[in-house]
Amino acid sequence: MSGKGQKTSFKHGCLKLMIFAMLGGLSCLLVGMATALSVLNHYAQGLPDVGKLRYYEPSETTRIYSSDGTLIATLFKENRTWTPLEKVSPNMVKAVLAIEDKRFYEHHGVDPIGIARAAYASYKHQDKQGASTITMQLARNLFLTPKRSLDRKIKEAILALQIEKRFTKQEILELYLNQIYFGAGAHGVQAASSTYFNKKAKDLTICEAALLAGLPQAPTEYSPLVDLKASQERQKLVLLSMRTQNAISDAEYKEALAQIPKMRFLNKNKAEFNLLKYPYFTSYVIKELSRRYSDDLLYRGGLRIYTTVDIKLQKKCEQLLRDEIRAEGDMFNFHQGAIVLIENGTGYIRALVGGTGWSDKSQFNRAWQATRQPGSSFKLFVYCTGLESGMTPATVVPDSPISYNMGPGEPAYAPQNSDGRFMGAVPLKTALQWSRNVVAVRLAMIVGIDRVIDYAYKMGVHQKLEPVVSLPLGACDVSPLEMATAYSCVANGGIRIDPSPISVIKDSEGNIVEDNRFPHYEEVLAESTAYYMTDMLENAAHYGTGAAAFIEGRHCAGKTGTTTSHRDIWFCGFTPQYTAAVWVGNDDFTQMYGVFGGDVCAPLWKRVQMAALEGKPNLNWKVRRGPTLPCLMCSTSHKRAGPNCPKVYREYYKPGAMPYAYCDVHGAAPIPGSGMVAPTGPSRPTGPTTPKPQTAPVEGENPGEAPTPVEIPLGEVPAGTGGEPPAAVDPGGEVPAPDTQPIEVPIEAPPEPQVVPIDPAPAPEPPPAEPAAPGPEL
């Protein structure tokens, strides 16, 4: 073969080889591509739909504010506040891009150059460099676990590519800045800015932005609260990256470096960030919220909760309680207390103090969690029930020895007054003034213990009350918050307004979720009952056992309470503006040293009220007697209800027209030995021309609107009720006749089997001649 033929054959062979090589390479490429597509398809299966990011609602921190808008607590699973990109400082954007993803605006979710650079650095054993873009980090944080693996990296890249197809760069950056974790419990740039610098994200300086941008790679390792030196080194690296990429000028770079040693940080850690500035109040708020809302909404919903607490009053009440325990606690052996202050008319809790030693180990809130015996402050319910039953402050009840059979094998119960004496027949107003225990028990038996319990529930008590003979003297357990609620019913003219620590709740978008600015009103007492009760309690606070609570030049009314064992002492009362309940005692029920409610709680209550009233106008009472008086009537016989009538309703009568016949269907007469007449004959005729009295049901119906309030000027006393100290009791144990004719007339009652005298009734001991002589109550 010629040389030319050989060359041609060689060329043909080379061409064939080239063709075979190309075909082989193409085949390999196709196989590789197929393999790659198969791998991608494999990993893409089961991945979440990134389109859901359009409706993404990250968890946000719930914030609790005082009445003046001060932040007092935060609730979160992840501390986060969503912030639009336009409200983030440009310095922060520059810093994040410089250290995390300088080619962010050039790649499509995955950066091959960044991957190559990271691989080369790893090969050369240089400083570790991240290959993940901001989009990949976002995909990992939102959809994947942080566990390092090849599978996760592949899924991360696939999701990043999908995100970049669906969202703009600005949207991705906003999602990232609000999602990334910055340490110290802070998720998102706004939470981080607040946690470390106590400022908004839009106000971050270059130096501050550099510190925050350096945290996401290792939030704990680079935290200035954990390792300040490591944090500063990382901060300098971020600033250098910003300068190298011309994100900042040379002058800005040098100025930021100079600021690093001068930076100061809020010393917060994750536990402390669950902010409770006023824990006794805020813990009660959180408990109330948890009863109405799910944990997910409370701790992740970004609610804005505006409470009713007056920070100035809260601080003052906390200080007053500490001062009182410090001054007299050792002397009288008491070491704890509680104060509840409610604003009349709104039901807003302006201060709630549950003790003196809140800590991680002691978080018991005595203002609402502790239930203690109220002593004679419970008599409020007994007297209110009596007034609702047709009595007045002038109704006379004997203060004389009596005992009650407690059943086979049980000793008889004989109530005693704290001074061991008896005053004879006394008007209810005088009996309450001197807190006569015997009168309270007699009165409760006359109207019925069950009915007293019913009114206690209506007025705000939630604890279970047992119908025992000693209940009128406080043989039960109640909380200071319950007692404050009950006394506020009288202050509000017979209207119960359930106390609220919350005024308004808004969701993360500003929509109102709950609005308590217009509270629910429920009539539980006739206004004339509240009128008479206010007068009686004012008399007790001015001249009786609660005289230490008297505020010169101000209306004030209230009642002391002391248990027989001296384990609990109280003062509960109100002014025209505020109702307050004060309790003092010991958590272990240790007995105090002969101290009474009038000795400690009454003066403490006075100081609380004076703090609340500082700068407030001097108002008059806004309750009136009205033209008619209430009387509970039996729903079956339509006569005055006896203690055993199962269902009653309230009916109103003009003065002098009150019926005097009691129900003869359900055991008509009151408890024998009470000294009260209970005729069962026809009711007093009212005449054919007398209009039918207005009626208002007690149970199961809406009471309607309350009468228009009429103010009673300070110092002016309604006719027939009295406003001066009672006249001195004469040596014979009698009292002067009241200004108005009593509805009930004391007589000698016939003996009955259920009344068992312990001893022959002694002659009543003459009470002291001075008004203050009956002494403290129990």
Side-chain angles (χ1 to χ4, degrees):
M1 181 180 295
S2 66
K4 183 177 181 181
Q6 291 178 344
K7 290 181 180 179
T8 302
S9 177
F10 178 76
K11 287 181 179 179
H12 287 168
C14 290
L15 181 60
K16 288 180 180 179
L17 288 173
M18 290 178 62
I19 292 173
F20 284 133
M22 290 176 63
L23 290 174
L26 180 61
S27 298
C28 291
L29 178 62
L30 292 173
V31 171
M33 291 178 63
T35 303
L37 289 173
S38 176
V39 170
L40 290 175
N41 183 63
H42 168 75
Y43 282 104
Q45 290 182 356
L47 289 179
D49 180 9
V50 297
K52 293 181 179 180
L53 286 176
R54 292 284 180 197
Y55 314 101
Y56 173 64
E57 295 183 1
S59 65
E60 291 191 51
T61 300
T62 289
R63 285 172 166 75
I64 302 177
Y65 300 92
S66 67
S67 59
D68 65 358
T70 301
L71 180 66
I72 60 174
T74 55
L75 307 177
F76 57 86
K77 297 293 185 184
E78 295 177 355
N79 175 29
R80 186 198 317 273
T81 301
W82 187 269
T83 307
L85 188 61
E86 60 266 21
K87 293 186 178 181
V88 177
S89 169
N91 296 323
M92 186 65 192
V93 175
K94 294 176 183 178
V96 167
L97 293 179
I99 195 65
E100 293 292 340
D101 193 354
K102 64 181 179 181
R103 286 174 35 82
F104 175 70
Y105 288 105
E106 300 171 27
H107 61 68
H108 299 287
V110 178
D111 185 9
I113 296 177
I115 294 174
R117 183 178 60 249
Y120 181 78
S122 177
Y123 173 74
K124 288 293 186 177
H125 302 288
Q126 296 175 353
D127 291 340
K128 183 179 178 181
Q129 296 188 25
S132 294
T133 64
I134 282 178
T135 314
M136 292 172 69
Q137 293 180 51
L138 178 63
R140 178 174 67 244
N141 291 335
L142 291 178
F143 300 117
L144 303 173
T145 66
K147 183 179 179 180
R148 293 178 179 273
S149 68
L150 179 60
D151 284 0
R152 193 208 72 185
K153 275 293 182 182
I154 294 173
K155 291 179 180 179
E156 191 177 290
I158 294 172
L159 287 171
L161 292 171
Q162 293 177 356
I163 290 173
E164 290 273 351
K165 289 180 180 180
R166 300 281 192 95
F167 297 90
T168 67
K169 290 290 187 178
Q170 297 300 94
E171 290 173 331
I172 294 171
L173 194 56
E174 181 176 300
L175 284 166
Y176 175 83
L177 288 173
N178 281 281
Q179 176 64 34
I180 204 70
Y181 181 56
F182 290 90
H187 291 255
V189 62
Q190 180 59 55
S193 180
S194 176
T195 298
Y196 292 103
F197 304 114
N198 195 27
K199 60 167 54 177
K200 295 181 178 179
K202 67 182 181 64
D203 299 324
L204 288 170
T205 65
I206 294 174
C207 187
E208 292 166 343
L211 183 139
L212 295 184
L215 293 175
Q217 188 179 95
T220 301
E221 180 180 344
Y222 293 137
S223 171
L225 309 180
V226 177
D227 189 337
L228 181 59
K229 183 178 179 180
S231 176
Q232 290 175 340
E233 291 301 318
R234 177 69 174 170
Q235 186 179 16
K236 292 175 183 178
L237 178 61
V238 175
L239 288 172
L240 180 60
S241 297
M242 295 175 72
R243 178 68 192 99
T244 302
Q245 298 168 38
N246 292 318
I248 57 176
S249 67
D250 190 60
E252 289 173 326
Y253 172 66
K254 291 179 179 179
E255 181 181 356
L257 288 176
Q259 290 296 319
I260 290 178
K262 303 176 183 178
M263 297 185 73
R264 297 294 181 267
F265 305 96
L266 297 179
N267 189 20
K268 293 181 178 179
N269 55 40
K270 188 172 182 179
E272 292 172 336
F273 190 75
N274 199 352
L275 182 64
L276 291 176
K277 287 186 177 179
Y278 307 99
Y280 286 117
F281 180 84
T282 51
S283 64
Y284 175 65
V285 171
I286 294 169
K287 181 63 176 180
E288 286 296 292
L289 290 170
S290 66
R291 292 172 178 172
R292 304 199 287 273
Y293 303 102
S294 67
D295 282 355
D296 188 63
L297 179 60
L298 279 181
Y299 290 90
R300 299 172 65 90
L303 298 178
R304 299 297 178 265
I305 300 165
Y306 299 90
T307 71
T308 62
V309 67
D310 183 317
I311 290 180
K312 181 180 177 182
L313 282 179
Q314 179 71 23
K315 289 180 178 178
K316 184 65 174 179
C317 289
E318 291 176 359
Q319 186 61 49
L320 287 171
L321 182 60
R322 286 194 297 267
D323 291 346
E324 183 65 33
I325 292 176
R326 188 181 300 114
E328 300 188 283
D330 290 339
M331 181 189 308
F332 294 111
N333 192 37
F334 60 81
H335 303 96
Q336 276 298 347
I339 298 171
V340 177
L341 181 69
I342 298 175
E343 183 178 79
N344 300 332
T346 64
Y348 286 171
I349 300 175
R350 294 304 189 186
L352 188 145
V353 184
T356 60
W358 181 278
S359 67
D360 291 340
K361 296 181 180 180
S362 176
Q363 299 181 2
F364 185 57
N365 195 327
R366 297 156 192 85
W368 64 277
Q369 288 179 308
T371 55
R372 306 295 292 242
Q373 291 197 355
S376 288
S377 62
F378 189 86
K379 291 174 183 175
L380 169 77
F381 308 112
V382 179
Y383 281 81
C384 282
T385 308
L387 295 174
E388 287 281 289
S389 299
M391 302 178 188
T392 73
T395 299
V396 174
V397 176
D399 179 18
S400 58
I402 190 172
S403 60
Y404 297 93
N405 189 348
M406 303 304 292
E410 297 290 332
Y413 175 70
Q416 300 292 320
N417 295 312
S418 62
D419 58 3
R421 302 185 179 191
F422 302 93
M423 295 178 67
V426 292
L428 293 181
K429 183 173 182 178
T430 303
L432 185 64
Q433 175 184 346
W434 300 121
S435 196
R436 308 310 285 170
N437 293 338
V438 175
V439 173
V441 174
R442 285 181 181 267
L443 179 59
M445 291 302 178
I446 293 167
V447 299
I449 289 287
D450 287 334
R451 192 154 298 132
V452 172
I453 292 173
D454 182 55
Y455 271 94
Y457 290 155
K458 290 176 184 293
M459 295 172 69
V461 173
H462 300 292
Q463 306 300 321
K464 182 175 176 57
L465 304 177
E466 299 293 341
V468 295
V469 182
S470 56
L471 179 66
L473 308 184
C476 60
D477 294 319
V478 294
S479 71
L481 179 58
E482 289 173 313
M483 293 302 290
T485 303
Y487 274 78
S488 72
C489 294
V490 180
N492 288 323
I495 304 297
R496 190 190 75 226
I497 304 174
D498 290 332
S500 176
I502 300 165
S503 59
V504 176
I505 299 177
K506 296 182 180 180
D507 63 18
S508 58
E509 297 180 355
N511 302 310
I512 292 179
V513 176
E514 182 177 319
D515 192 344
N516 295 319
R517 291 173 294 181
F518 305 97
H520 172 71
Y521 293 78
E522 182 177 352
E523 180 186 325
V524 294
L525 301 171
E527 189 175 20
S528 55
T529 297
Y531 168 89
Y532 280 135
M533 201 70 232
T534 297
D535 177 64
M536 296 166 71
L537 290 171
E538 185 171 28
N539 188 58
H542 280 222
Y543 313 112
T545 58
F550 173 69
I551 304 174
E552 185 68 36
R554 294 274 189 176
H555 278 302
C556 58
K559 183 72 187 73
T560 53
T562 307
T563 59
T564 305
S565 59
H566 291 279
R567 289 185 171 89
D568 300 279
I569 55 175
W570 297 72
F571 190 88
C572 305
F574 50 88
T575 60
Q577 290 100 321
Y578 297 98
T579 297
V582 174
W583 166 84
V584 165
N586 293 302
D587 288 339
D588 60 0
F589 295 90
T590 303
Q591 186 173 357
M592 292 175 279
Y593 301 149
V595 65
F596 293 85
D599 299 329
V600 172
C601 293
L604 177 56
W605 180 93
K606 175 181 178 178
R607 290 192 287 272
V608 168
Q609 285 283 3
M610 290 179 68
L613 294 170
E614 184 179 357
K616 302 289 193 304
N618 187 10
L619 300 183
N620 298 312
W621 297 124
K622 292 186 177 180
V623 293
R624 63 186 178 93
R625 180 172 62 180
T628 57
L629 301 176
C631 183
L632 294 182
M633 310 295 289
C634 175
S635 297
T636 303
S637 66
H638 300 289
K639 296 179 181 180
R640 289 185 68 172
N644 301 317
C645 295
K647 190 172 182 180
V648 299
Y649 62 94
R650 186 192 296 132
E651 192 161 316
Y652 292 89
Y653 293 91
K654 292 182 179 180
M658 187 80 67
Y660 56 86
Y662 279 81
C663 171
D664 53 6
V665 176
H666 303 103
I671 299 297
S674 66
M676 305 293 290
V677 173
T680 58
S683 298
R684 177 183 296 158
T686 58
T689 60
T690 303
K692 183 178 180 180
Q694 175 188 358
T695 62
V698 173
E699 299 178 349
E701 295 187 29
N702 293 325
E705 295 184 359
T708 303
V710 175
E711 294 188 355
I712 304 172
L714 183 63
E716 181 178 335
V717 180
T721 61
E724 297 299 321
V729 183
D730 65 29
E734 300 295 326
V735 297
D739 294 336
T740 58
Q741 182 66 29
I743 294 173
E744 311 290 356
V745 181
I747 64 170
E748 287 295 325
E752 292 289 340
Q754 61 265 42
V755 181
V756 183
I758 296 177
D759 296 305
E765 298 184 28
E770 296 299 326
E777 47 69 47
L778 290 177

